[in-house]
Amino acid sequence: MTFHATPMFPGDLYDTTARVAAAAPVTETFESQEPSETWSQFLQLGWQGVLIDEAHDGAGASLGDVAAIAEAAGRHALAQPLAARCAVVPLLLAGLPGASDVLRAMAAGEASVCPVLDTGPVPLAAVRDGDRLTLNGRLHGADLTEPATHFVFVATQDDGLPLLVLAPRDAVPGHASTWLGIDGRQTADIALSGVTLAASSVLAQGEDVYTRVERASAVGGLLACAQTVGAIGAMIEQTIEYLTTRVQFGVALATFQALRHRVVEMYVAYENVRGMVRRQVLDLCEGPAGSAPRDIALVKLYLSVTGRQVAESAIQLHGGIGMSRELPAARLAMHALACSLQWGDRFAHLDRLARPALH
């Protein structure tokens, strides 16, 4: 009984990311304001510029290339915000004149923009007065696992007009409440009170903001699925290796038919989700990015359920040691669970699918 997961998008990006991820320490310290060694390598490799067009010094590559990075990172349960900063932000800022300098700095690894697109129960309030923009409210769910030089977020005027705002991190002071996720991601809610920015911080407004946020969030969810596919493949490999080497009652655990059936169920689930995610990424590569938010919502919903089932199976088949954080398969299981919550959990995607305007 042997198995080795085949990458959805094999190539140099996958191989390089896998090598860096394999050498990453199991526990990294995210409390420092300095980027981790792993994230520094990704910045130097130019991963943030993969999806940025060549006019802004990026590689102008496809979403499939970013999916290769995400899948390789998922195989090693990396918590770094690759999907957010290598795909969501470039899509969000593409074609906006006010974002040109930041996009070039991102491609060079000199800037890193944290997207905060969850508006929460009460949207962030904005008041424009001449050349100033005043903000009051709260930024919800900023992924600060790695330091960010800028925030890009949505604020709403009194008349309901949405604004897409880009601001340096230091220009957005406020009390931050932070949480550490089960896979090591660090998320913060930041309370803003009377924060004043230049009016030029507004990059877009109106319906264009909704369109950009919808598209970028959908792609973020799809890349979270790619990370989950990588994690599931690695979990199956490690589970099979454990069952073939662990001996109980004088025989290898892999000889027990009931356990083999459970592994087969994990494998069938893996092949299903791998095919679904790969097909969706290819569809987006052939057309405008983010053109099928309904299809992506369906894939994310399915992955949210399947990822949890495979994670639970991997833990149970490892027995008691499966509950140990030191076990790689256990960390992969927690990573798959965390990815299922990124860019909307299964309930959020059910709500999205119920919206008549989603097509």
Side-chain angles (χ1 to χ4, degrees):
M1 189 166 64
T2 59
F3 170 74
H4 185 72
T6 303
M8 292 186 292
F9 302 97
D12 291 341
L13 291 175
Y14 180 91
D15 294 340
T16 303
T17 304
R19 282 196 295 272
V20 174
V26 173
T27 302
E28 300 207 52
T29 302
F30 300 119
E31 296 177 354
S32 170
Q33 294 301 310
E34 298 297 324
S36 67
E37 183 178 345
T38 305
W39 183 246
S40 296
Q41 291 186 64
F42 288 148
L43 293 179
Q44 293 169 9
L45 287 166
W47 274 194
Q48 286 190 143
V50 170
L51 214 53
I52 295 174
D53 58 33
E54 294 181 5
H56 293 91
D57 303 331
S62 69
L63 187 62
D65 295 309
V66 184
I69 294 172
E71 183 186 9
R75 278 187 59 84
H76 298 276
L78 282 192
Q80 275 71 19
L82 286 164
R85 303 190 191 179
C86 300
V88 172
V89 171
L91 289 175
L92 204 58
L93 302 184
L96 295 174
S100 295
D101 292 342
V102 170
L103 286 172
R104 289 191 176 90
M106 285 178 60
E110 298 169 352
S112 191
V113 181
C114 173
V116 191
L117 305 182
D118 183 359
T119 55
V122 180
L124 181 66
V127 176
R128 275 198 281 197
D129 181 13
D131 59 353
R132 295 191 310 168
L133 180 73
T134 303
L135 302 172
N136 287 286
R138 183 177 290 269
L139 293 174
H140 294 272
D143 187 343
L144 295 177
T145 307
E146 298 291 348
T149 60
H150 296 72
F151 284 144
V152 59
F153 52 89
V154 177
T156 305
Q157 292 189 162
D158 289 342
D159 57 3
L161 185 70
L163 309 174
L164 184 66
V165 182
L166 175 67
R169 171 69 180 91
D170 295 340
V172 190
H175 176 72
S177 303
T178 61
W179 291 270
L180 190 63
I182 57 174
D183 66 341
R185 300 182 211 223
Q186 184 169 299
T187 306
D189 288 351
I190 303 172
L192 307 182
S193 178
V195 172
T196 302
L197 302 173
S200 58
S201 299
V202 178
L203 300 181
Q205 63 183 24
E207 191 64 30
D208 185 35
V209 175
Y210 290 131
T211 303
R212 287 177 179 274
V213 170
E214 183 78 43
R215 179 185 61 186
S217 298
V219 170
L222 184 59
L223 292 178
C225 292
Q227 287 179 279
T228 306
V229 170
I232 290 176
M235 274 191 284
I236 297 175
E237 291 175 7
Q238 294 172 20
T239 301
I240 290 176
E241 182 181 359
Y242 178 77
L243 295 179
T244 53
T245 55
R246 179 79 165 87
V247 175
Q248 192 76 20
F249 305 114
V251 296
L253 289 178
T255 60
F256 292 98
Q257 193 173 35
L259 301 185
R260 295 171 70 93
H261 286 173
R262 192 72 176 270
V263 173
V264 169
E265 291 174 355
M266 295 168 66
Y267 171 74
V268 171
Y270 167 74
E271 289 293 347
N272 280 335
V273 297
R274 179 182 180 276
M276 293 170 65
V277 173
R278 185 174 186 276
R279 182 69 263 167
Q280 193 58 48
V281 171
L282 290 175
D283 286 347
L284 291 182
C285 291
E286 294 168 357
S291 61
R294 180 180 178 81
D295 293 341
I296 294 176
L298 281 169
V299 172
K300 185 69 165 56
L301 173 62
Y302 186 77
L303 257 291
S304 298
V305 177
T306 306
R308 172 178 286 274
Q309 291 173 341
V310 174
E312 291 175 349
S313 294
I315 291 174
Q316 291 175 8
L317 288 173
H318 276 82
I321 197 174
M323 299 298 292
S324 169
R325 197 179 185 90
E326 284 69 30
L327 185 76
R331 293 197 299 275
L332 286 165
M334 289 187 286
H335 185 63
L337 294 176
C339 286
S340 72
L341 303 176
Q342 294 285 307
W343 308 104
D345 61 11
R346 59 193 177 103
F347 299 107
H349 286 287
L350 280 172
D351 289 342
R352 288 164 62 93
L353 291 168
R355 285 158 45 187
L358 191 66
H359 54 78

